[in-house]
Amino acid sequence: QVQLVESGGGLVQAGGSLRLSCAASGRTFRNYAMGWFRQAPGREREFVATISWSGISTHYADSVKGRFTISRDNAKNTVYLQMNSLKPEDTAVYYCAADSVGRRNGVSEGSAYWGQGTQVTVSS
C-alpha cells in the first residue's frame, strides 16, 4: 500500500517562499516518478511539476516555471517542491502524486497514487 504524506503548507505573503515535502512509503521509492498537482476552489486539479524516477528529468507547468523547483531525496523517500515568488493565484490545495508504473519520466495523472493534500494560501 503506497502512502504519501504532504507537509509544509501554510499562509504566506505574496513574494514569499514555501517548501512542500512529501514522504512516501509502501514500495521502492526510487523506481517511480513523483509529482505535484494543485486544486484551487471551484477549479479542476491541475499539474504543477513532475520529476522522473531517476531524478534527471523535470517538467513544470508554464505558470510556475522559473519560480518552483521539484527535487527528490531517495535516501529519505521524499519529494520536495520549493516555491518562490509566490502569487495569490498559487493559492490551492497541493497534492503529491506517485506514479503507479515504474521507471517513467513523469507522473501520469490518470495512474497515480495521491496524498491527502496540503493547503497553500498566498495573501496579497
Side-chain angles (χ1 to χ4, degrees):
Q1 182 77 8
V2 176
Q3 291 189 325
L4 304 172
V5 179
E6 300 103 331
S7 61
L11 173 64
V12 65
Q13 288 188 332
S17 298
L18 283 174
R19 188 177 81 155
L20 305 183
S21 300
C22 173
S25 62
R27 64 179 185 181
T28 305
F29 176 78
R30 65 179 179 271
N31 288 342
Y32 296 89
M34 300 291 294
W36 291 92
F37 292 74
R38 67 187 181 187
Q39 186 168 21
R43 303 187 63 177
E44 293 187 353
R45 186 169 58 196
E46 64 176 4
F47 166 77
V48 175
T50 189
I51 186 166
S52 63
W53 70 277
S54 64
I56 293 174
S57 174
T58 58
H59 181 63
Y60 298 90
D62 288 343
S63 60
V64 307
K65 202 171 293 183
R67 300 187 298 122
F68 291 11
T69 302
I70 188 171
S71 61
R72 64 189 298 158
D73 184 339
N74 289 341
K76 296 182 178 180
N77 289 355
T78 300
V79 64
Y80 303 97
L81 185 69
Q82 177 66 44
M83 305 185 295
N84 298 330
S85 302
L86 283 161
K87 304 175 181 180
E89 52 263 44
D90 294 318
T91 295
V93 177
Y94 283 71
Y95 295 93
C96 175
D99 203 12
S100 62
V101 178
R103 303 199 173 191
R104 296 204 292 193
N105 284 335
V107 176
S108 173
E109 187 174 5
S111 59
Y113 298 100
W114 298 94
Q116 82 287 352
T118 186
Q119 176 71 46
V120 171
T121 303
V122 184
S123 63
S124 57

